[in-house]
Amino acid sequence: MQFKLDVQKGLIRDAAVYGDFFSTLDADTLCAALMGCPYERGAVLAALRSHGIDGAVYRISAEELASVVVD
């Protein structure tokens, strides 16, 4: 799984997910959770959790996924 982010003035303006991955949700849900989110690990983590994404992508925790997006 690979993320492509467009970050402007510290906010995620656009997000896309590429590649094969197993998920219980649509990739658009994941991207929508990130749109408008501050490009900070804590903010990304909160956005993922608020959209029910904790463990939805191949049992990867929201914490691990936030690290992939921001770190």
Side-chain angles (χ1 to χ4, degrees), residues 9-58:
K9 296 184 181 180
L11 295 177
I12 299 172
R13 296 291 181 194
D14 193 19
V17 179
Y18 297 95
D20 295 331
F21 64 97
F22 297 99
S23 176
T24 59
L25 53 85
D26 188 276
D28 292 336
T29 303
L30 178 58
C31 294
L34 298 173
M35 300 278 282
C37 182
Y39 189 65
E40 300 169 354
R41 189 174 188 278
V44 168
L45 177 57
L48 294 173
R49 284 185 173 158
S50 72
H51 283 80
I53 298 176
D54 195 17
V57 179
Y58 194 65

Side-chain angles (χ1 to χ4, degrees), residues 1 3 5 7 10-11 29 31 33 39 42-43 45-47 59 64 68-69:
M1 173 173 45
F3 286 95
L5 301 175
V7 180
L11 295 177
T29 303
C31 294
Y39 189 65
L45 177 57
R59 299 182 190 165
E64 292 169 313
V68 170
V69 173

